[in-house]
Amino acid sequence: MTKTILVGDTHLKNALILPIIDDIIENHKVEQVIFVGDYLDTKILGQQDNAKLYAKDLIYLVDWKNKATEKGISCTFLIGNHDIFYYMGIPTSFTLTNQEAFEAIGDTLEELDLQIAFQLDDYLISHAGYNFLFDVEDWHFSRLSLENEDELIRFASAIGPMRGGQDLAGSPVWAHIEEIEIAPNPEYPKQIVGHTPQPSIDLSKNIIGIDTFAIDEEMNFYGNGDILLYDSESKEFSVIATKWKSVETFDRLKKYIGGK
Ligand SMILES: [Mn+2]
Protein backbone atom coordinates (compact mmCIF):
# COMPACT_ATOMS: atom_id res chain seq x y z
CA MET A 1 0.00 0.00 0.00
CA THR A 2 1.63 3.22 -1.09
CA LYS A 3 -0.92 5.97 -0.98
CA THR A 4 -3.44 6.47 1.79
CA ILE A 5 -5.99 9.22 2.26
CA LEU A 6 -7.60 10.13 5.57
CA VAL A 7 -11.11 11.51 5.70
CA GLY A 8 -12.49 13.64 8.54
CA ASP A 9 -15.94 13.52 10.17
CA THR A 10 -18.69 13.21 7.54
CA HIS A 11 -21.85 13.68 9.70
CA LEU A 12 -24.67 12.70 7.31
CA LYS A 13 -22.95 14.36 4.34
CA ASN A 14 -21.51 11.13 2.92
CA ALA A 15 -23.42 11.44 -0.35
CA LEU A 16 -21.75 14.79 -0.97
CA ILE A 17 -18.27 14.01 0.34
CA LEU A 18 -17.70 10.56 -1.18
CA PRO A 19 -17.82 11.72 -4.84
CA ILE A 20 -14.95 14.09 -3.91
CA ILE A 21 -13.10 11.12 -2.41
CA ASP A 22 -13.70 9.07 -5.58
CA ASP A 23 -12.04 11.79 -7.70
CA ILE A 24 -9.05 11.91 -5.37
CA ILE A 25 -8.70 8.11 -5.40
CA GLU A 26 -8.57 8.16 -9.17
CA ASN A 27 -6.32 11.21 -9.63
CA HIS A 28 -3.80 10.21 -6.97
CA LYS A 29 -3.91 6.40 -7.37
CA VAL A 30 -5.00 5.96 -3.77
CA GLU A 31 -5.01 2.37 -2.46
CA GLN A 32 -6.19 2.87 1.10
CA VAL A 33 -8.83 5.10 2.71
CA ILE A 34 -9.19 5.66 6.44
CA PHE A 35 -12.26 7.39 7.82
CA VAL A 36 -11.89 8.83 11.31
CA GLY A 37 -15.53 8.43 12.36
CA ASP A 38 -18.67 10.43 13.10
CA TYR A 39 -20.75 9.30 10.13
CA LEU A 40 -24.01 10.09 11.91
CA ASP A 41 -25.83 13.11 13.36
CA THR A 42 -25.58 16.71 12.20
CA LYS A 43 -25.75 20.11 13.83
CA ILE A 44 -28.09 21.38 11.09
CA LEU A 45 -31.31 22.39 12.81
CA GLY A 46 -34.27 20.03 12.83
CA GLN A 47 -32.47 16.93 11.51
CA GLN A 48 -32.61 14.83 14.66
CA ASP A 49 -36.11 13.75 13.64
CA ASN A 50 -35.19 13.19 9.99
CA ALA A 51 -34.81 9.39 10.00
CA LYS A 52 -34.96 9.39 6.20
CA LEU A 53 -31.76 11.44 5.98
CA TYR A 54 -29.96 9.07 8.37
CA ALA A 55 -31.09 6.01 6.42
CA LYS A 56 -30.24 7.28 2.95
CA ASP A 57 -26.87 8.70 3.96
CA LEU A 58 -25.68 5.66 5.91
CA ILE A 59 -26.80 3.32 3.14
CA TYR A 60 -24.88 5.51 0.67
CA LEU A 61 -21.76 5.06 2.80
CA VAL A 62 -22.17 1.28 3.16
CA ASP A 63 -22.72 0.91 -0.61
CA TRP A 64 -19.64 3.04 -1.25
CA LYS A 65 -17.59 0.83 1.08
CA ASN A 66 -18.69 -2.32 -0.73
CA LYS A 67 -17.89 -0.90 -4.17
CA ALA A 68 -14.51 0.49 -3.10
CA THR A 69 -13.59 -2.84 -1.47
CA GLU A 70 -14.54 -4.70 -4.67
CA LYS A 71 -12.18 -2.42 -6.59
CA GLY A 72 -9.36 -3.47 -4.26
CA ILE A 73 -9.24 -0.34 -2.15
CA SER A 74 -8.56 -1.05 1.50
CA CYS A 75 -11.09 0.83 3.64
CA THR A 76 -11.02 1.33 7.40
CA PHE A 77 -13.78 2.96 9.42
CA LEU A 78 -12.96 4.24 12.88
CA ILE A 79 -15.66 4.90 15.45
CA GLY A 80 -16.57 8.42 16.61
CA ASN A 81 -18.33 9.73 19.71
CA HIS A 82 -21.59 9.96 17.73
CA ASP A 83 -21.38 6.46 16.21
CA ILE A 84 -20.53 4.78 19.51
CA PHE A 85 -24.01 5.50 20.97
CA TYR A 86 -25.69 3.83 17.98
CA TYR A 87 -23.21 0.94 18.18
CA MET A 88 -23.97 0.44 21.88
CA GLY A 89 -27.72 0.97 21.39
CA ILE A 90 -27.80 3.77 23.97
CA PRO A 91 -29.77 6.84 22.85
CA THR A 92 -28.42 10.22 24.00
CA SER A 93 -29.11 13.95 23.59
CA PHE A 94 -27.82 14.15 20.00
CA THR A 95 -29.02 10.82 18.55
CA LEU A 96 -32.02 10.12 16.31
CA THR A 97 -35.22 10.66 18.28
CA ASN A 98 -37.26 7.79 16.82
CA GLN A 99 -36.31 4.64 18.78
CA GLU A 100 -37.05 2.17 16.01
CA ALA A 101 -35.06 4.17 13.45
CA PHE A 102 -32.25 4.58 16.01
CA GLU A 103 -31.99 0.80 16.35
CA ALA A 104 -32.11 0.20 12.60
CA ILE A 105 -29.29 2.71 12.07
CA GLY A 106 -27.27 0.93 14.79
CA ASP A 107 -27.71 -2.39 12.97
CA THR A 108 -26.68 -0.94 9.60
CA LEU A 109 -23.63 0.72 11.17
CA GLU A 110 -22.21 -2.76 11.90
CA GLU A 111 -21.58 -3.18 8.18
CA LEU A 112 -18.75 -0.66 8.43
CA ASP A 113 -16.74 -3.07 10.64
CA LEU A 114 -15.86 -0.24 12.98
CA GLN A 115 -12.66 -0.15 15.03
CA ILE A 116 -11.13 2.31 17.50
CA ALA A 117 -7.69 3.00 16.08
CA PHE A 118 -5.31 2.47 13.19
CA GLN A 119 -1.51 2.66 13.06
CA LEU A 120 -0.06 4.29 9.93
CA ASP A 121 3.73 4.01 10.24
CA ASP A 122 4.67 6.46 13.04
CA TYR A 123 1.17 7.89 13.36
CA LEU A 124 -1.64 6.68 15.58
CA ILE A 125 -5.04 7.47 14.09
CA SER A 126 -8.29 7.64 16.07
CA HIS A 127 -11.43 9.77 16.17
CA ALA A 128 -10.34 12.14 18.93
CA GLY A 129 -6.86 11.02 20.03
CA TYR A 130 -5.18 9.30 22.95
CA ASN A 131 -4.14 11.52 25.83
CA PHE A 132 -2.11 10.45 28.87
CA LEU A 133 -5.16 8.89 30.56
CA PHE A 134 -5.90 6.31 27.84
CA ASP A 135 -3.70 3.36 26.89
CA VAL A 136 -3.61 1.82 23.45
CA GLU A 137 -4.68 -1.83 23.51
CA ASP A 138 -4.54 -4.55 20.85
CA TRP A 139 -8.31 -4.84 20.52
CA HIS A 140 -8.51 -1.17 19.45
CA PHE A 141 -7.01 -2.18 16.09
CA SER A 142 -9.53 -4.83 15.14
CA ARG A 143 -13.25 -5.01 14.46
CA LEU A 144 -15.23 -4.02 17.53
CA SER A 145 -17.41 -6.46 19.36
CA LEU A 146 -19.51 -6.20 22.47
CA GLU A 147 -16.91 -8.33 24.25
CA ASN A 148 -15.36 -5.01 25.18
CA GLU A 149 -18.66 -3.46 26.19
CA ASP A 150 -17.42 -2.12 29.55
CA GLU A 151 -14.49 -0.32 27.93
CA LEU A 152 -16.73 1.03 25.16
CA ILE A 153 -19.11 2.45 27.75
CA ARG A 154 -16.12 4.11 29.44
CA PHE A 155 -15.08 5.55 26.05
CA ALA A 156 -18.60 6.81 25.33
CA SER A 157 -18.88 8.56 28.68
CA ALA A 158 -15.40 10.02 29.40
CA ILE A 159 -15.72 13.68 28.41
CA GLY A 160 -13.23 16.32 29.50
CA PRO A 161 -13.87 19.94 30.50
CA MET A 162 -13.07 21.30 27.01
CA ARG A 163 -16.13 19.45 25.68
CA GLY A 164 -18.30 20.26 28.67
CA GLY A 165 -17.66 17.05 30.63
CA GLN A 166 -16.68 16.23 34.20
CA ASP A 167 -13.73 13.97 33.50
CA LEU A 168 -10.12 15.03 33.76
CA ALA A 169 -9.73 14.48 30.00
CA GLY A 170 -11.70 12.91 27.15
CA SER A 171 -11.51 9.37 25.76
CA PRO A 172 -10.15 8.52 22.27
CA VAL A 173 -13.63 9.30 20.90
CA TRP A 174 -14.23 12.46 22.96
CA ALA A 175 -10.94 14.31 23.60
CA HIS A 176 -10.57 17.84 22.34
CA ILE A 177 -7.54 18.21 20.04
CA GLU A 178 -5.88 20.60 22.50
CA GLU A 179 -5.92 17.88 25.18
CA ILE A 180 -3.94 15.68 22.83
CA GLU A 181 -1.56 18.50 21.93
CA ILE A 182 -0.95 19.38 25.59
CA ALA A 183 -0.79 15.86 27.05
CA PRO A 184 -0.63 13.13 24.39
CA ASN A 185 -0.19 9.53 25.41
CA PRO A 186 3.62 9.61 25.87
CA GLU A 187 4.09 6.52 23.70
CA TYR A 188 2.25 8.18 20.81
CA PRO A 189 3.52 11.74 20.27
CA LYS A 190 2.40 11.66 16.62
CA GLN A 191 -1.33 11.30 16.03
CA ILE A 192 -4.00 12.07 13.44
CA VAL A 193 -7.48 12.95 14.69
CA GLY A 194 -10.88 14.20 13.58
CA HIS A 195 -13.57 15.37 16.04
CA THR A 196 -12.43 18.97 16.59
CA PRO A 197 -13.43 21.08 13.55
CA GLN A 198 -10.50 22.63 11.69
CA PRO A 199 -10.63 25.41 9.08
CA SER A 200 -7.93 23.55 7.11
CA ILE A 201 -5.24 20.89 7.68
CA ASP A 202 -2.01 22.11 9.31
CA LEU A 203 0.92 19.76 8.65
CA SER A 204 3.34 21.63 10.89
CA LYS A 205 2.06 19.94 14.06
CA ASN A 206 2.68 16.51 15.62
CA ILE A 207 -1.07 16.17 16.18
CA ILE A 208 -2.74 16.59 12.80
CA GLY A 209 -6.44 17.53 12.86
CA ILE A 210 -8.40 16.56 9.74
CA ASP A 211 -12.03 17.44 10.63
CA THR A 212 -12.50 19.86 7.71
CA PHE A 213 -16.09 19.15 6.59
CA ALA A 214 -17.77 20.72 9.63
CA ILE A 215 -20.78 23.02 9.23
CA ASP A 216 -22.88 24.77 11.87
CA GLU A 217 -26.61 24.88 12.72
CA GLU A 218 -27.27 27.41 9.95
CA MET A 219 -25.20 25.53 7.37
CA ASN A 220 -22.24 27.90 7.47
CA PHE A 221 -19.07 26.09 6.41
CA TYR A 222 -16.35 25.94 9.03
CA GLY A 223 -13.77 23.79 7.23
CA ASN A 224 -12.46 23.98 3.67
CA GLY A 225 -12.73 20.23 2.94
CA ASP A 226 -8.97 19.53 2.87
CA ILE A 227 -8.03 15.85 2.62
CA LEU A 228 -4.83 14.37 4.07
CA LEU A 229 -2.70 12.18 1.78
CA TYR A 230 0.12 9.93 3.00
CA ASP A 231 2.74 8.36 0.79
CA SER A 232 4.30 5.39 2.58
CA GLU A 233 7.30 5.30 0.21
CA SER A 234 8.47 8.85 0.83
CA LYS A 235 6.84 8.80 4.31
CA GLU A 236 5.47 12.24 3.59
CA PHE A 237 2.11 13.85 4.09
CA SER A 238 0.50 16.32 1.73
CA VAL A 239 -2.81 18.17 1.75
CA ILE A 240 -5.25 17.88 -1.12
CA ALA A 241 -7.46 20.93 -1.53
CA THR A 242 -11.06 20.31 -2.63
CA LYS A 243 -13.99 22.37 -3.88
CA TRP A 244 -16.03 21.45 -0.80
CA LYS A 245 -16.51 24.97 0.54
CA SER A 246 -18.61 26.43 -2.25
CA VAL A 247 -22.06 27.74 -3.16
CA GLU A 248 -22.57 24.54 -5.18
CA THR A 249 -22.05 22.32 -2.13
CA PHE A 250 -24.34 24.55 -0.06
CA ASP A 251 -27.14 24.29 -2.64
CA ARG A 252 -26.72 20.53 -3.02
CA LEU A 253 -26.65 20.03 0.72
CA LYS A 254 -29.84 22.03 1.19
CA LYS A 255 -31.61 19.88 -1.39
CA TYR A 256 -30.14 16.66 -0.01
CA ILE A 257 -31.32 17.34 3.53
CA GLY A 258 -34.78 18.44 2.52
CA GLY A 259 -35.18 15.95 -0.35
CA LYS A 260 -37.51 13.00 -0.01
MN1 LIG B 1 -16.77 13.74 17.05
Side-chain angles (χ1 to χ4, degrees):
M1 224 84 72
T2 311
K3 287 185 173 174
T4 300
I5 53 170
L6 300 106
V7 182
D9 309 30
T10 56
H11 285 299
L12 299 180
K13 305 185 295 291
N14 288 292
L16 284 88
I17 294 170
L18 292 170
I20 295 173
I21 302 306
D22 282 330
D23 283 348
I24 294 173
I25 289 173
E26 206 177 305
N27 296 335
H28 294 265
K29 300 193 167 42
V30 170
E31 293 163 294
Q32 174 164 254
V33 185
I34 297 161
F35 293 83
V36 296
D38 274 3
Y39 314 101
L40 300 169
D41 302 329
T42 172
K43 281 189 173 175
I44 302 170
L45 291 176
Q47 302 311 311
Q48 213 174 343
D49 305 317
N50 191 353
K52 211 165 224 171
L53 173 66
Y54 280 75
K56 76 176 171 183
D57 199 61
L58 184 57
I59 288 166
Y60 191 101
L61 178 61
V62 169
D63 285 347
W64 184 91
K65 179 205 174 195
N66 293 335
K67 280 184 212 145
T69 308
E70 268 172 38
K71 282 187 239 164
I73 295 160
S74 170
C75 300
T76 300
F77 295 86
L78 304 182
I79 193 166
N81 58 304
H82 286 261
D83 317 312
I84 200 166
F85 288 91
Y86 292 84
Y87 184 81
M88 304 297 294
I90 303 168
T92 189
S93 60
F94 46 73
T95 51
L96 198 47
T97 50
N98 179 293
Q99 177 67 19
E100 223 175 297
F102 170 81
E103 285 169 18
I105 290 293
D107 289 345
T108 307
L109 196 61
E110 298 232 16
E111 297 191 35
L112 295 179
D113 300 324
L114 297 169
Q115 61 190 63
I116 306 267
F118 190 92
Q119 186 78 40
L120 185 65
D121 291 348
D122 292 347
Y123 282 79
L124 178 66
I125 309 166
S126 62
H127 181 64
Y130 286 75
N131 55 44
F132 68 109
L133 287 180
F134 287 83
D135 293 327
V136 177
E137 291 175 48
D138 285 346
W139 66 270
H140 297 179
F141 298 100
S142 46
R143 189 184 197 275
L144 286 178
S145 78
L146 288 176
E147 250 174 66
N148 299 103
E149 198 172 1
D150 292 349
E151 272 295 276
L152 291 172
I153 288 173
R154 178 177 168 239
F155 276 26
S157 53
I159 308 173
M162 295 189 71
R163 292 293 295 242
Q166 311 275 310
D167 293 86
L168 189 55
S171 74
V173 298
W174 267 114
H176 189 279
I177 193 167
E178 285 179 31
E179 292 174 22
I180 311 300
E181 288 170 338
I182 294 164
N185 180 305
E187 286 173 51
Y188 296 88
K190 292 181 176 182
Q191 299 190 37
I192 297 166
V193 298
H195 186 58
T196 307
Q198 303 292 317
S200 59
I201 294 175
D202 180 357
L203 290 181
S204 70
K205 296 179 172 182
N206 280 337
I207 309 299
I208 304 175
I210 65 165
D211 180 8
T212 63
F213 293 106
I215 51 177
D216 71 8
E217 290 83 348
E218 310 292 340
M219 279 178 56
N220 296 303
F221 287 57
Y222 185 73
N224 69 351
D226 273 353
I227 294 285
L228 184 61
L229 174 75
Y230 180 68
D231 185 325
S232 62
E233 251 166 46
S234 64
K235 301 217 182 294
E236 273 175 16
F237 285 101
S238 53
V239 176
I240 301 172
T242 72
K243 291 178 178 160
W244 170 253
K245 191 176 182 176
S246 64
V247 177
E248 287 72 26
T249 305
F250 178 85
D251 289 343
R252 287 176 53 217
L253 190 55
K254 219 165 135 186
K255 260 187 220 156
Y256 183 62
I257 283 162
K260 302 291 170 209

